[in-house]
Each structure stands twice: as C-alpha cells, then as structure tokens.
Amino acid sequence: MSVRRIGVLTSGGDAPGMNAAIRAAVRAALNSNLEVMGIFRGFEGLINQDLKVFDHRAVSNIIGRGGTILKTARSADFMTEEGQKRAVETVKKFGLDGLILIGGNGTYNGGIVLSRKWNVPCIGVPGTIDNDINGTDSTIGADTAVNTALEAIDKIRDTVTSMERIFVVEVMGRDSGFIAVQVGLASGSEDVLIPERKFEIHKMCHDMVEGNLRGKVSWIVIVAEGAAKAEDVAKQITEITSLETRVAVLGHIQRGGSPTAKDRNLASMLGAEAVNLLNRGETCKAVGVISENINIVDLEFAVTKKELKTDNFYQLIKTLT
Ligand code: F6P
C-alpha cells in the first residue's frame, strides 16, 4: 500500500526538541509529497478527532522552541479497548496511512498496541528527558535537560561554597539516574543517588564528617527523584551527622527551555528518518542514533530496560571529590 497521508503526535512528558522533531517530520513528509496532519494532545487527539492538516508554514520558527506545539498528554482513555477503537476510527476516517509518535516509553507502548493489535503503521521517535529508550544513545531533550539542571546546580554551588553548607539537589528521573549522573560529574558534585545503584547513607555521612574535619565544608548531593526524596535524604544526613542541610528540587524547569544544538539536530535527523520508514512500509519501529549512525529497532525492544552505564562516571565523581 502506498502512503499518502500521515499523522504526527507528541505524547507523555514533553521534552525540549519535540518541536524540532515535529518540524522535521512535517517538512520531510511534505517534501516527499505526503499530506500531514498534526494530532493534538497525543492519543487524546486521536480519540477525540482533534487534528488538522499541516503545511510547511505550520511548523515555521519552532525549531528552537521548548515544549510542543501539538500539546501533549498521558491518555488514560487510550488504555481502554473503547478508547483504542475510537482512536482507530479517527485514523480510518481521516485516511491516515501511518503515524509518527514522538515520546517516551508510554508513547511507544501505545504504538505497539496501535500497530500490532489494530494494524496502524507506527514509527516512534524518542522524545524524553530521561534517556531511557533502548536502541539510541540519546533521546531528544535529554541533553537540554542535563544542561538546564547543570546551570541551576552551578548557581547553587555559589551559595553552597559561600555559606559552607551541605545541599541536596533533586533532579528528574523516576526510573532513570541519567540526568543525576551526568550533572553529578559535570557540576563537580560530591555524591549522586540513583535508582540503579544501591546507596549507603552511613558511608556518605561518614565521608562528610571526615571531610569536615579536613576542612571540606561544602557538599552537594544529587538525588534522582526515583532514588529518594531530597527532603528525606537531607533529614537523614542531619540526623546522622548533626550538620545543617538545605534542599532544592529542580522539578519541571528541566523539561522546558530552548533545545541545545545536539537535541535540535537529533530531532531533525530522527523526525525525517521516521518519514522514510513509513514510506518504506515499515511499522512498529523506533528510530534512534548509535555512534552517530541511524539505528532502527522494534518498538518492543525500544521499551525494554535500558542499561545505564554509570560505573565510570560514578567512580570519577568519587575520585575527583
Ligand atoms: O518522563 C519524563 C519525566 O519528566 C520524568 O523524569 C518525571 O518523573 C515525570 O516525567 C514527571 O511527570 P509529570 O510531568 O506528569 O509530573
């Protein structure tokens, strides 16, 4: 079957660079003589027929903008058989021959259902700050999020050093310590707590007290949200060491802002490649980049647990403290 019209959506947590991916998918499709529809609020837009035809101008001047012009949502309705039926009806009604789904694991799981169960060709483009998608070295938004968090932690370092304090900084990552490890090393932080690695609070506290005796009076601990709550870690530190602590939860600022060049370029490559795959009649695939080369995997593989190689970074953080 030849592909004539495709749909593009963003779903799940937004990530900087999603707009660049939308732009790439829309322009690549139009330039290969396909029609494109932008679908709003992820799978919700499919269920509620909230979509419209996009032309070249619909994606003008968005390559550097954070967020997603298509809006995004985590759709509970799409989890139901009824919701899926309505989504597929929309696909048929509007003559969509394939979908490009930009998002993370939840989005990819939706793509697996749509393609395997309902025969709707789907290609996934990895858009998430968590960098927890398999088959790609990096996901769109991860680099920007790391740099945003780093900028904040550098500022925290100024006050930490001036007031000779212990600070616990919480970064995003429900199941992934990617941001925590990256900013931990880049900010010269003294410790990092991540979901992937067992952590001994007493050992850290012992190091703090010892350091304190040697004259090392400021300390930054980075905590990935999936490992612990910064507030709890700070309380424990004070209970064990009697040292004063302060807490900062960086939260959603990590999801906003203008994407870095790396994220814009990744998004541009992968958005365009997703169109190529649909044109070739592929389905249930995810596009990614490994060692600067395009890499294609099944969506089922893309959602398997990605191994986070933290040991080198973790050792370096300790070596350099
Ligand atoms: O998946 C991206 C992410 O930012 C996670 O790091 C975080 O745990 C989650 O989304 C937060 O989701 P929400 O914006 O729905 O609170």
Side-chain angles (χ1 to χ4, degrees), residues 13-14 74 128-130 132 172-175 179 225 252 255:
D14 48 274
R74 302 188 201 275
T128 166
I129 63 166
D130 291 340
D132 58 352
M172 272 188 164
R174 205 171 11 211
D175 306 307
I179 295 176
E225 62 172 335
H252 287 76
R255 288 240 296 263

mmCIF file of all heavy atoms in Angstrom, residues 13-14 74 128-130 132 172-175 179 225 252 255, ligand 1:
data_model
loop_
_atom_site.group_PDB
_atom_site.id
_atom_site.type_symbol
_atom_site.label_atom_id
_atom_site.label_comp_id
_atom_site.label_asym_id
_atom_site.label_seq_id
_atom_site.Cartn_x
_atom_site.Cartn_y
_atom_site.Cartn_z
ATOM 1 N N GLY A 13 5.359 12.937 28.775
ATOM 2 C CA GLY A 13 6.046 14.153 29.245
ATOM 3 C C GLY A 13 6.692 14.886 28.085
ATOM 4 O O GLY A 13 7.373 14.274 27.270
ATOM 5 N N ASP A 14 6.471 16.190 28.012
ATOM 6 C CA ASP A 14 7.113 16.966 26.939
ATOM 7 C C ASP A 14 8.625 16.976 27.130
ATOM 8 O O ASP A 14 9.119 16.738 28.223
ATOM 9 C CB ASP A 14 6.573 18.408 26.946
ATOM 10 C CG ASP A 14 6.600 18.985 28.349
ATOM 11 O OD1 ASP A 14 5.611 18.757 29.094
ATOM 12 O OD2 ASP A 14 7.600 19.606 28.716
ATOM 13 N N ARG A 74 -0.955 12.428 28.933
ATOM 14 C CA ARG A 74 -0.856 10.996 29.228
ATOM 15 C C ARG A 74 -2.296 10.500 29.215
ATOM 16 O O ARG A 74 -3.060 10.821 30.119
ATOM 17 C CB ARG A 74 -0.214 10.766 30.593
ATOM 18 C CG ARG A 74 1.185 11.367 30.743
ATOM 19 C CD ARG A 74 1.823 10.923 32.055
ATOM 20 N NE ARG A 74 2.898 11.807 32.491
ATOM 21 C CZ ARG A 74 4.160 11.715 32.087
ATOM 22 N NH1 ARG A 74 4.508 10.785 31.229
ATOM 23 N NH2 ARG A 74 5.087 12.552 32.544
ATOM 24 N N THR A 128 12.147 12.272 25.193
ATOM 25 C CA THR A 128 12.017 12.247 26.659
ATOM 26 C C THR A 128 13.324 12.716 27.281
ATOM 27 O O THR A 128 14.401 12.374 26.788
ATOM 28 C CB THR A 128 11.680 10.837 27.194
ATOM 29 O OG1 THR A 128 11.901 10.820 28.616
ATOM 30 C CG2 THR A 128 12.512 9.741 26.571
ATOM 31 N N ILE A 129 13.213 13.469 28.375
ATOM 32 C CA ILE A 129 14.453 13.933 29.026
ATOM 33 C C ILE A 129 15.160 12.799 29.756
ATOM 34 O O ILE A 129 16.310 12.933 30.136
ATOM 35 C CB ILE A 129 14.183 15.091 30.026
ATOM 36 C CG1 ILE A 129 13.278 14.634 31.179
ATOM 37 C CG2 ILE A 129 13.616 16.301 29.312
ATOM 38 C CD1 ILE A 129 13.262 15.605 32.353
ATOM 39 N N ASP A 130 14.470 11.665 29.955
ATOM 40 C CA ASP A 130 15.025 10.597 30.804
ATOM 41 C C ASP A 130 16.120 9.759 30.143
ATOM 42 O O ASP A 130 16.828 9.028 30.835
ATOM 43 C CB ASP A 130 13.901 9.646 31.248
ATOM 44 C CG ASP A 130 12.939 10.325 32.217
ATOM 45 O OD1 ASP A 130 13.322 11.340 32.822
ATOM 46 O OD2 ASP A 130 11.806 9.840 32.353
ATOM 47 N N ASP A 132 15.867 7.031 28.540
ATOM 48 C CA ASP A 132 15.690 5.638 28.966
ATOM 49 C C ASP A 132 15.053 4.777 27.876
ATOM 50 O O ASP A 132 14.354 3.805 28.154
ATOM 51 C CB ASP A 132 14.840 5.577 30.248
ATOM 52 C CG ASP A 132 13.474 6.226 30.080
ATOM 53 O OD1 ASP A 132 13.235 6.864 29.034
ATOM 54 O OD2 ASP A 132 12.630 6.082 30.978
ATOM 55 N N MET A 172 15.127 15.289 37.980
ATOM 56 C CA MET A 172 14.105 14.375 37.475
ATOM 57 C C MET A 172 14.687 13.013 37.101
ATOM 58 O O MET A 172 15.904 12.881 36.898
ATOM 59 C CB MET A 172 13.390 14.985 36.279
ATOM 60 C CG MET A 172 12.212 15.843 36.703
ATOM 61 S SD MET A 172 11.253 16.375 35.297
ATOM 62 C CE MET A 172 9.750 16.890 36.131
ATOM 63 N N GLY A 173 13.814 12.053 36.980
ATOM 64 C CA GLY A 173 14.208 10.699 36.598
ATOM 65 C C GLY A 173 13.540 9.690 37.519
ATOM 66 O O GLY A 173 14.114 9.294 38.524
ATOM 67 N N ARG A 174 12.295 9.337 37.176
ATOM 68 C CA ARG A 174 11.516 8.426 38.021
ATOM 69 C C ARG A 174 12.172 7.046 38.059
ATOM 70 O O ARG A 174 12.305 6.441 39.099
ATOM 71 C CB ARG A 174 10.100 8.326 37.441
ATOM 72 C CG ARG A 174 9.060 7.941 38.437
ATOM 73 C CD ARG A 174 7.667 8.079 37.877
ATOM 74 N NE ARG A 174 7.614 8.294 36.442
ATOM 75 C CZ ARG A 174 6.673 8.989 35.831
ATOM 76 N NH1 ARG A 174 5.727 9.562 36.533
ATOM 77 N NH2 ARG A 174 6.651 9.110 34.524
ATOM 78 N N ASP A 175 12.576 6.577 36.876
ATOM 79 C CA ASP A 175 13.193 5.243 36.815
ATOM 80 C C ASP A 175 14.629 5.316 36.333
ATOM 81 O O ASP A 175 15.260 4.287 36.121
ATOM 82 C CB ASP A 175 12.416 4.336 35.835
ATOM 83 C CG ASP A 175 10.949 4.276 36.181
ATOM 84 O OD1 ASP A 175 10.647 3.970 37.338
ATOM 85 O OD2 ASP A 175 10.116 4.550 35.300
ATOM 86 N N ILE A 179 20.057 11.808 34.254
ATOM 87 C CA ILE A 179 20.325 13.239 34.487
ATOM 88 C C ILE A 179 21.217 13.398 35.719
ATOM 89 O O ILE A 179 22.183 14.168 35.717
ATOM 90 C CB ILE A 179 19.012 14.030 34.654
ATOM 91 C CG1 ILE A 179 18.211 14.002 33.356
ATOM 92 C CG2 ILE A 179 19.290 15.476 35.069
ATOM 93 C CD1 ILE A 179 16.853 14.686 33.443
ATOM 94 N N GLU A 225 14.994 11.640 41.348
ATOM 95 C CA GLU A 225 13.711 11.526 42.062
ATOM 96 C C GLU A 225 13.288 10.073 42.296
ATOM 97 O O GLU A 225 12.595 9.779 43.271
ATOM 98 C CB GLU A 225 12.608 12.289 41.322
ATOM 99 C CG GLU A 225 12.326 11.756 39.925
ATOM 100 C CD GLU A 225 11.103 12.385 39.276
ATOM 101 O OE1 GLU A 225 10.212 12.845 39.990
ATOM 102 O OE2 GLU A 225 11.049 12.407 38.046
ATOM 103 N N HIS A 252 10.188 20.737 37.180
ATOM 104 C CA HIS A 252 9.854 20.825 35.751
ATOM 105 C C HIS A 252 10.648 21.858 34.957
ATOM 106 O O HIS A 252 10.522 21.892 33.729
ATOM 107 C CB HIS A 252 8.350 21.056 35.580
ATOM 108 C CG HIS A 252 7.548 19.823 35.885
ATOM 109 N ND1 HIS A 252 7.313 19.396 37.166
ATOM 110 C CD2 HIS A 252 6.972 18.907 35.076
ATOM 111 C CE1 HIS A 252 6.598 18.273 37.147
ATOM 112 N NE2 HIS A 252 6.382 17.956 35.882
ATOM 113 N N ARG A 255 12.318 20.363 32.094
ATOM 114 C CA ARG A 255 11.604 19.956 30.882
ATOM 115 C C ARG A 255 11.426 21.112 29.899
ATOM 116 O O ARG A 255 10.972 20.895 28.763
ATOM 117 C CB ARG A 255 10.244 19.366 31.271
ATOM 118 C CG ARG A 255 10.321 18.002 31.925
ATOM 119 C CD ARG A 255 9.562 16.957 31.138
ATOM 120 N NE ARG A 255 8.164 17.246 31.098
ATOM 121 C CZ ARG A 255 7.246 16.714 31.924
ATOM 122 N NH1 ARG A 255 7.619 15.853 32.855
ATOM 123 N NH2 ARG A 255 5.993 17.015 31.802
HETATM 124 O O1 F6P B 1 9.335 11.121 31.791
HETATM 125 C C1 F6P B 1 9.752 12.421 31.923
HETATM 126 C C2 F6P B 1 9.520 12.935 33.325
HETATM 127 O O2 F6P B 1 9.934 14.279 33.384
HETATM 128 C C3 F6P B 1 10.187 12.127 34.442
HETATM 129 O O3 F6P B 1 11.545 12.410 34.596
HETATM 130 C C4 F6P B 1 9.339 12.534 35.618
HETATM 131 O O4 F6P B 1 9.385 11.570 36.627
HETATM 132 C C5 F6P B 1 7.972 12.642 35.023
HETATM 133 O O5 F6P B 1 8.137 12.905 33.652
HETATM 134 C C6 F6P B 1 7.104 13.703 35.638
HETATM 135 O O6 F6P B 1 5.848 13.636 35.056
HETATM 136 P P1 F6P B 1 4.716 14.739 35.205
HETATM 137 O O7 F6P B 1 5.083 15.918 34.373
HETATM 138 O O8 F6P B 1 3.475 14.072 34.728
HETATM 139 O O9 F6P B 1 4.668 15.114 36.663
#
